[in-house]
């Protein structure tokens, strides 16, 4: 008990990072996460350094911070920093895989039929190379492993799947799916954006070959940030479709630029092609620092406890729960619908409770700094609506 109180006190301390909380009940991290105050401060410091020309060795400072970003991200998903590449969004990351793998006519790619479009169009673009795209039928909006087993055959080269489903929060059992893919020699690609930063993930245990993730949601970072993970074992299977001068190792010595004989990085950095958006990566670095201080296990536990409050109410209410209640498939997203869900969404918005309206459901997605009072406020309005 004493320990829980201390932990809660620690979490309460972090609420000052989100100065809007007295005004707005923000339960919408599956859409865009807010930028913590410390990340705003460091972004400002970056621009201030440029405006006032305060920092002498900007190159060193910025590249060191990128290393830190890769290190935080690697720690979060239990990978190595050398397996992390920085990209501007999930879609770019997925394209590193779709365009980097070698294809032949008749190859098959498996997708879920309830996938966010970011993880569909890059694969559909392979049709022009004669690749067949097959959608695995879901059950009640949830990915179905039995249907995967029925569909998978010797022509399947890739399965690409969201870690957490975007409108109902179904967390896929990636360890089981990864095992199946390994046995069938299928390359496993994961869109991590609705899980990473909120629910725990061990990419090694799940035998993920490639993961792409934008920074703008649960990672509380700015638009234009994201990363991919390419496992060391899988890296020989992907060639850079785009290649540029940041993909080779200058050893931070940018004085001898007319030599063109440098080799690509051995690490995932070889896919990073040009000058970085340092300012947004500074934002990301501070947001990741904050998430790393709290820790994903603590975040996950806290978010599930917050959602438990809502679940307990919804179970005996006129609303229909759209998310899985199975503990192994729960995540930071809980969805439900009502008699007039569109109207309900408007009522909540008017009362400054921010959630999403997706596929005719209300999608609620709190983060670790939300309070029980935030959830009670939502429940109170649901009772009245
Ligand atoms: C599951 C999922 N993947 C990807 C995205 C976004 O992709 P990108 O970062 O490429 O815009 C979203 C939401 O915006 C999403 O919910």
């Amino acid at each position: 008990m004493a320990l829980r109180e201390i932990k809660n006190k620690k979490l309460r301390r972090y609420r000052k990072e989100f100065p809007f909380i007295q005004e707005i009940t923000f339960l919408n991290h599956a859409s865009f996460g807010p930028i913590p105050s410390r990340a705003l401060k460091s972004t400002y410091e970056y621009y201030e350094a440029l405006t006032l020309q305060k920092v002498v060795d900007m190159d060193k400072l910025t590249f060191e911070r990128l290393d830190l970003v890769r290190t935080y991200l690697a720690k979060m998903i239990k990978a190595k920093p050398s397996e992390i590449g920085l990209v501007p969004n999930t879609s770019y990351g997925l394209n590193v895989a779709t365009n980097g793998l070698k294809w032949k006519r008749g190859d098959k790619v498996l997708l879920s039929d309830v996938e966010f479009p970011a993880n569909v169009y890059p694969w559909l673009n392979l049709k022009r190379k004669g690749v067949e795209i097959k959608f695995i039928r879901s059950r009640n909006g949830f990915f179905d492993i039995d249907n995967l087993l029925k569909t998978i055959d010797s022509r399947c080269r890739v399965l690409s799947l969201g870690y957490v489903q975007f409108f109902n929060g179904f967390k896929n059992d990636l360890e089981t799916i990864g095992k199946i893919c390994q046995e069938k020699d299928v390359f496993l690609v994961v869109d991590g954006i609705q899980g990473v930063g909120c629910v725990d993930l061990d990419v090694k245990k799940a035998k993920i070959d490639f993961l792409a993730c934008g920074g703008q949601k649960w990672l509380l970072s700015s638009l234009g940030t994201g990363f991919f993970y390419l496992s060391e074992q899988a890296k020989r299977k992907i060639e850079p479709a785009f290649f540029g001068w940041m993909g080779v190792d200058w050893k931070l010595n940018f004085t001898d630029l007319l030599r063109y004989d440098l080799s690509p990085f051995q690490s995932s950095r070889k896919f990073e092609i040009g000058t970085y958006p340092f300012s947004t990566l500074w934002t990301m670095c501070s947001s990741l620092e904050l998430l790393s201080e709290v820790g994903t296990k603590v975040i996950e536990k806290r978010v599930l406890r917050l959602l438990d409050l809502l679940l307990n109410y919804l179970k005996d209410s006129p609303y229909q729960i759209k998310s899985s209640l199975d503990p192994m498939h729960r995540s930071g997203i809980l969805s439900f619908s009502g008699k007039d869900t569109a109207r309900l969404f408007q009522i909540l918005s008017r009362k400054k409770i921010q959630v999403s309206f997706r596929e005719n459901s209300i999608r609620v997605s709190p983060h670790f700094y939300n309070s029980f009072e935030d959830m009670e406020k939502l429940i109170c309005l649901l009772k009245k609506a």
Side-chain angles (χ1 to χ4, degrees):
M1 181 66 192
L3 185 67
R4 207 166 73 204
E5 275 171 12
I6 293 165
K7 276 194 181 156
N8 283 348
K9 250 191 222 156
K10 183 178 149 192
L11 290 182
R12 262 206 307 276
R13 236 187 20 237
Y14 288 118
R15 280 171 70 78
K16 72 171 185 321
E17 295 278 356
F18 305 93
F20 56 83
I21 52 175
Q22 304 305 335
E23 298 286 314
I24 294 164
T25 307
F26 191 86
L27 302 168
N28 203 15
H29 299 84
S31 187
F32 288 119
I35 304 289
S37 293
R38 71 169 77 178
L40 173 64
K41 187 163 170 275
S42 66
T43 314
Y44 178 80
E45 280 164 5
Y46 174 82
Y47 282 118
E48 190 184 44
L50 285 187
T51 303
L52 304 178
Q53 286 301 307
K54 275 200 322 201
V55 183
V56 185
D57 195 348
M58 199 65 176
D59 274 352
K60 188 161 181 293
L61 189 65
T62 40
F63 281 96
E64 273 172 6
R65 209 162 289 208
L66 299 197
D67 283 342
L68 202 53
V69 168
R70 291 191 199 92
T71 304
Y72 280 133
L73 290 167
K75 187 174 148 222
M76 195 176 265
I77 60 169
K78 298 163 190 77
K80 293 182 192 159
S82 59
E83 294 171 310
I84 305 294
L86 302 174
V87 287
N89 49 45
T90 322
S91 302
Y92 190 106
L94 288 166
N95 271 275
V96 170
T98 51
N99 295 301
L101 287 162
K102 294 168 211 77
W103 299 101
K104 54 182 190 320
R105 294 193 85 75
D107 282 345
K108 250 193 233 175
V109 169
L110 302 179
L111 302 173
S112 153
D113 70 353
V114 285
E115 201 62 23
F116 190 83
N119 191 21
V120 175
Y121 286 99
W123 302 104
L124 291 180
N125 192 35
L126 295 172
K127 278 182 163 185
R128 69 201 158 90
K129 295 187 177 174
V131 175
E132 191 186 325
I133 313 298
K134 189 104 189 127
F135 290 93
I136 297 168
R137 215 160 5 97
S138 52
R139 195 179 294 193
N140 300 324
F142 307 147
F143 185 74
D144 189 285
I145 293 188
D146 289 338
N147 282 341
L148 166 67
L149 288 169
K150 279 183 211 152
T151 317
I152 215 163
D153 64 23
S154 60
R155 282 206 286 130
C156 292
R157 292 271 320 284
V158 170
L159 166 66
S160 189
L161 192 63
Y163 177 27
V164 169
Q165 207 279 347
F166 76 98
F167 64 78
N168 59 36
F170 186 80
K171 186 176 78 171
N172 275 304
D173 175 4
L174 288 181
E175 284 189 31
T176 302
I177 292 167
K179 213 160 147 237
I180 295 170
C181 287
Q182 194 179 52
E183 278 163 12
K184 306 273 182 193
D185 196 20
V186 167
F187 192 88
L188 177 58
V189 176
V190 172
D191 171 352
I193 197 170
Q194 290 295 7
V196 176
C198 175
V199 281
D200 201 32
L201 176 64
D202 184 329
V203 286
K204 303 289 175 192
K205 266 198 196 149
K207 301 182 178 26
I208 294 170
D209 292 299
F210 188 94
L211 175 138
C213 180
Q216 69 269 31
K217 297 180 190 289
W218 300 95
L219 293 178
L220 308 176
S221 184
S222 38
L223 292 166
T225 59
F227 76 99
F228 70 85
Y229 153 82
L230 171 60
S231 84
E232 228 155 54
Q233 294 84 332
K235 78 175 177 190
R236 69 193 155 77
K237 297 188 181 168
I238 295 194
E239 290 298 328
F242 295 148
F243 190 52
W245 73 295
M246 281 294 150
V248 301
D249 191 359
W250 296 92
K251 308 226 178 306
L252 283 192
N253 174 19
F254 298 111
T255 55
D256 188 12
L257 292 169
L258 294 183
R259 54 179 299 181
Y260 309 126
D261 60 345
L262 295 176
S263 307
F265 279 109
Q266 289 295 307
S267 69
S268 289
R269 280 182 72 176
K270 82 170 163 194
F271 299 90
E272 298 173 0
I273 59 176
T275 307
Y276 297 85
F278 288 118
S279 55
T280 52
L281 287 165
W282 275 41
T283 319
M284 186 181 216
C285 192
S286 296
S287 298
L288 292 174
E289 176 197 69
L290 170 62
L291 293 173
S292 140
E293 272 174 36
V294 182
T296 312
K297 288 218 162 91
V298 173
I299 294 174
E300 176 170 352
K301 201 164 153 207
R302 169 78 179 174
V303 166
L304 289 174
R305 279 193 67 200
L306 291 167
L307 287 176
D308 279 346
L309 271 189
L310 178 59
L311 256 184
N312 286 342
Y313 162 68
L314 289 174
K315 276 178 187 162
D316 285 319
S317 78
Y319 299 101
Q320 287 96 51
I321 300 169
K322 299 289 182 175
S323 303
S324 170
L325 301 186
D326 181 340
M328 109 172 269
H329 294 297
R330 282 186 60 197
S331 69
I333 294 175
L334 181 61
S335 300
F336 60 92
S337 62
K339 246 196 324 237
D340 187 347
T341 316
R343 186 179 146 267
L344 178 61
F345 176 68
Q346 280 167 5
I347 294 173
L348 296 176
S349 303
R350 272 202 301 275
K351 294 287 181 189
K352 295 191 178 165
I353 296 189
Q354 287 206 22
V355 293
S356 303
F357 181 45
R358 290 281 182 283
E359 311 300 307
N360 207 29
S361 296
I362 299 290
R363 179 179 71 177
V364 181
S365 50
H367 217 316
F368 72 94
Y369 67 87
N370 282 113
S371 65
F372 291 114
E373 290 74 32
D374 292 338
M375 303 310 289
E376 274 153 15
K377 207 165 157 194
L378 169 65
I379 293 166
C380 198
L381 271 175
L382 292 179
K383 283 180 183 164
K384 283 193 211 149

